[in-house]
Amino acid sequence: MKFVCDSIDLSAASLTVVKACATRTLTPVLECIRILAKNDEVTLSAYDGELSIEKTIKADVLEEGETCVNGRLFTDFIGKIFHTQITLGTEEKGLEIRYDDSRSFLQTLPAEDFPLLSGGENVGCFEVEEGKFKNLVARSVFCCATDDSRPILKGCLMETEDKTLKVSSLDGYRMATTQCEISGGDDGKKIICPARTLSEIARMLTGGDRLLKIEFSANQLRVEVDDTKLISRLYVGEFVKKENIFPPAFSTEVTVKREELIESAERASVLIRGEKNNLIIMDVKSGAIYVTANSEIGNVAEKVSATLEGKEIRIAMNGKYLLDALKALDEEEIILYMNTPIAPFVLKNRQNQYGAYLILPVRTTS
């Protein structure tokens, strides 16, 4: 294998695919980027057992071939070669890298050891505007679980129904439900996609109204954006039904300006930073929400104007969960729906209620 290309193009491609290189594995080739030179193109690929990313760039291919090189070392090294033509070729020592008047080598592994994914038979697809999908991902993935105790909760449930894409995510303490319109595709489909995959897809997108096509088989999802192809494993199993979690009715509804509540909660969070429960208390009264937080270093007590319908209530919650939900909403005014100090409460936009955020309160002794 031997080819010549621009160092910036090669660096950008390796930065894209290295996110799919494994970090802790007993299979060294999964830590590698596979480099394939063929037909005036160079394709870089990485696969960690769950996520595969592949990107193609233009190059002057002098000798077709392929090899595997440690992904993070290669990416870091190529990223330090600026604004010049670069020549890569395989030699007995490994991968030879020539640039300007310099010559370096990196160890390689046989390309035949690199696992190749089979696509699987398509069972469905949908098309959605890039900007809408990026917003959908931002409004949902932060509620996914991060530990392995229930792997299925590390993903988002995605459902297509009546030209609408509905997404649900939860981690056992909070839940997000949101949706957006889709431009085409199959109705009545359900998949559970890893949150990490959705975040990587969102990073690939520039936004706007360009259509993104997402295809999926029984256990894989596939996306192509420009010269980048992403394939991900899907989770298989039964996802938690939101109908069993969201309360059917509420005894308290309080309308508040979102930015004012965010600012108050952020000030309270400064004092409880590092505390075990990260606890913020909201005392909902007629005409106001009283926000309080206490820690060993101090306390805060603030009044935020609000409109109450129903019963007064005092409720405690994790401050981070509250702020995450508030920042995911986007209207000037939001509504908090509550029942009791120990029952889940819900946050929604006042007007466009395309999504909802449920949070479990924290039981307090006082």
Side-chain angles (χ1 to χ4, degrees), residues 18-293:
V18 74
K19 299 181 183 74
C21 287
T23 53
R24 293 183 294 273
T25 178
L26 298 177
T27 310
V29 76
L30 295 184
E31 298 178 349
C32 290
I33 289 176
R34 171 177 171 259
I35 304 172
L36 170 66
K38 188 176 181 180
N39 296 334
D40 295 327
E41 290 182 338
V42 170
T43 301
L44 277 65
S45 312
Y47 174 58
D48 63 4
E50 177 176 276
L51 177 67
S52 167
I53 302 178
E54 178 181 293
K55 187 171 180 64
T56 300
I57 61 173
K58 294 295 183 182
D60 183 10
V61 177
L62 306 176
E63 181 181 339
E64 293 186 349
E66 58 184 333
T67 191
C68 291
V69 62
N70 184 280
R72 283 172 174 78
L73 287 177
F74 178 77
T75 301
D76 289 346
F77 188 85
I78 297 299
K80 304 299 183 185
I81 303 173
F82 304 106
H83 307 290
T84 187
Q85 290 290 298
I86 185 170
T87 303
L88 277 75
T90 49
E91 302 284 349
E92 288 186 7
K93 293 182 180 180
L95 180 66
E96 180 190 51
I97 306 173
R98 289 181 176 268
Y99 47 97
D100 299 329
D101 296 323
S102 303
R103 181 186 183 201
S104 302
F105 282 91
L106 291 177
Q107 288 185 343
T108 58
L109 291 176
E112 52 265 28
D113 293 344
F114 191 84
L116 297 177
L117 290 178
S118 57
E121 184 179 352
N122 262 14
V123 296
C125 72
F126 60 86
E127 291 183 326
V128 58
E129 291 180 11
E130 287 189 0
K132 290 180 179 179
F133 190 78
K134 281 177 72 76
N135 289 335
L136 193 75
V137 171
R139 296 197 303 260
S140 57
V141 294
F142 64 87
C143 281
C144 291
T146 56
D147 61 76
D148 295 321
S149 58
R150 296 182 67 185
I152 202 167
L153 297 186
K154 295 174 70 176
C156 291
L157 173 65
M158 307 175 73
E159 306 171 273
T160 56
E161 181 182 346
D162 297 330
K163 300 302 180 183
T164 300
L165 175 61
K166 300 179 179 180
V167 176
S168 303
S169 59
L170 75 156
D171 62 6
Y173 301 98
R174 53 181 173 169
M175 183 173 190
T177 63
T178 186
Q179 64 184 45
C180 73
E181 295 177 357
I182 56 177
S183 301
D186 301 307
D187 265 354
K189 298 296 184 179
K190 292 184 180 182
I191 59 174
I192 303 172
C193 184
R196 174 187 169 216
T197 296
L198 294 175
S199 296
E200 291 302 332
I201 295 173
R203 289 190 187 99
M204 292 162 55
L205 306 178
T206 57
D209 56 5
R210 186 173 71 162
L211 289 182
L212 169 72
K213 185 176 183 180
I214 295 180
E215 301 175 301
F216 45 92
S217 62
N219 55 9
Q220 284 185 355
L221 173 145
R222 294 181 296 279
V223 173
E224 287 193 43
V225 179
D226 298 327
D227 297 319
T228 303
K229 181 190 297 183
L230 181 146
I231 301 176
S232 172
R233 179 171 66 91
L234 295 174
Y235 295 139
V236 178
E238 197 65 33
F239 202 79
V240 179
K241 295 182 179 179
K242 58 179 177 290
E243 295 82 6
N244 298 337
I245 296 179
F246 276 78
F250 298 92
S251 59
T252 298
E253 295 184 16
V254 56
T255 304
V256 61
K257 291 189 181 298
R258 187 176 68 95
E259 283 298 332
E260 291 184 8
L261 189 54
I262 287 176
E263 291 170 3
S264 182
E266 284 181 333
R267 287 189 288 268
S269 294
V270 171
L271 294 185
I272 57 176
R273 190 179 298 154
E275 293 288 312
K276 181 179 179 181
N277 291 325
N278 195 26
L279 202 63
I280 287 178
I281 297 172
M282 291 195 301
D283 209 352
V284 180
K285 304 280 189 181
S286 178
I289 297 175
Y290 296 87
V291 179
T292 60

